[in-house]
Amino acid sequence: MIGGMNFASITEKNHDVMVAARGPVVREVQKVFDRNWELAGGTTLSPSLEKQNAGYPPADPGEGVWIQYLVTMPYLENTRAFLLSKIKNARKRILLEMYLLSDPALITGLIGAFKRGIDVRVLLDANRLPLEFDLGGFPNKAAIQKLLRENIPVRLYRCAPGQEMHMKVALFDDDEVVVGSTNWTYASFAANSESCFFMKGKSVFEKFRALFEEDWTRNSLPAAPLNFKEKIIAAGFNRVYKEY
């Protein structure tokens, strides 16, 4: 399984998503787990994947989905270039439901896609209490300022008390989905160990699009333009996460 959920009591109220997969992609996930386990000083003890999967019934061919496992490991691998290529090559739409958004290259890519006529919509968390710390809406407010300035539609998920919109999902065109642990922030690509699935298939795309549209129309509110104080703070964020 892969997705954005943390296994902690403070996150049980969150709006989040996980994906369960079986098949050859599981081998790729296990390779990364085993590598990280060994780096942490452990020895590989994972049982045979053939034994793990022996009890599963055959998948319904009509529900088959092509999956690529993408990993960011500091100084080794990075999914930013892959995401930028998907943004650059989008033909119809980019629908983004993201917990944290601050990476300047990806924000610039979204703006470029919108300017060439792509349906770009961005749904963000309000960033009121990430991990129980009040960040005053940042870093997302800095991203909101850039996107609204270009007339890109931006909405904030309407969270219940103690809840966060913790999803990291991007939808491209009619049949592509990226979902996992990777926030679109500078730290996610420069310092963190993160992973996600790139999934291609009409059935899985429609399920995620239905979820996005539900959140967009019924569970969120339009993002408001920043006030003077927020613009000053946003300018500081934009200098920290400068283009490179």
Side-chain angles (χ1 to χ4, degrees):
M1 297 185 72
I2 196 169
M5 293 175 64
N6 292 307
F7 291 2
S9 59
I10 63 172
T11 67
E12 61 186 358
K13 296 180 180 180
N14 288 353
H15 182 57
D16 215 331
V17 66
M18 297 286 282
V19 173
R22 64 173 178 262
V25 71
V26 180
R27 293 183 177 85
E28 302 306 312
V29 178
Q30 184 177 20
K31 289 177 185 177
V32 174
F33 177 87
D34 287 344
R35 180 174 62 178
N36 289 344
W37 185 260
E38 291 170 0
L39 288 172
T43 57
T44 301
L45 299 174
S46 300
S48 164
L49 286 169
E50 285 71 21
K51 292 181 180 179
Q52 289 183 27
N53 289 327
Y56 285 110
D60 180 353
E63 292 295 315
V65 177
W66 187 87
I67 301 177
Q68 180 179 355
Y69 184 48
L70 303 170
V71 178
T72 290
M73 297 284 287
Y75 315 113
L76 297 177
E77 303 173 57
N78 199 310
T79 59
R80 184 196 281 113
F82 178 88
L83 294 170
L84 285 171
S85 71
K86 287 298 168 185
I87 293 173
K88 181 179 179 180
N89 294 318
R91 304 178 306 279
K92 293 183 179 179
R93 65 180 60 86
I94 302 170
L95 308 178
L96 184 67
E97 191 159 359
M98 187 62 52
Y99 179 53
L100 296 175
L101 175 64
S102 66
D103 186 85
L106 292 170
I107 294 173
T108 298
L110 292 173
I111 293 171
F114 183 76
K115 287 183 175 180
R116 70 173 192 271
I118 302 300
D119 172 22
V120 177
R121 287 182 282 157
V122 179
L123 177 57
L124 299 172
D125 181 72
N127 288 170
R128 296 308 308 171
L129 293 171
L131 298 179
E132 300 186 323
F133 293 98
D134 188 351
L135 298 183
F138 289 90
N140 283 352
K141 279 193 175 179
I144 289 169
Q145 182 192 35
K146 290 183 178 181
L147 298 172
L148 290 182
R149 192 164 53 208
E150 303 296 337
N151 298 314
I152 294 177
V154 182
R155 296 179 72 90
L156 298 179
Y157 188 83
R158 188 163 44 202
C159 290
Q163 182 186 47
E164 298 172 357
M165 195 290 288
H166 201 248
M167 294 170 62
K168 299 97 177 175
V169 177
L171 288 77
F172 299 95
D173 296 328
D174 293 324
D175 61 354
E176 296 181 347
V177 181
V178 176
V179 58
S181 69
T182 311
N183 284 295
W184 287 16
T185 67
Y186 179 82
S188 291
F189 301 111
N192 296 355
S193 176
E194 306 279 1
S195 62
C196 55
F197 280 159
F198 168 68
M199 301 184 291
K200 189 174 181 66
K202 190 71 174 179
S203 60
V204 71
F205 176 89
E206 290 300 337
K207 291 176 182 178
F208 273 96
R209 184 173 183 185
L211 176 59
F212 177 89
E213 298 294 355
E214 174 81 4
D215 290 343
W216 183 265
T217 58
R218 299 184 61 182
N219 301 324
S220 62
L221 296 170
L226 275 59
N227 60 37
F228 179 76
K229 179 181 178 180
E230 290 171 335
K231 288 180 180 178
I232 296 299
I233 299 174
F237 270 88
N238 291 335
R239 277 195 291 269
V240 172
Y241 301 113
K242 61 185 178 179
E243 299 283 357
Y244 59 91

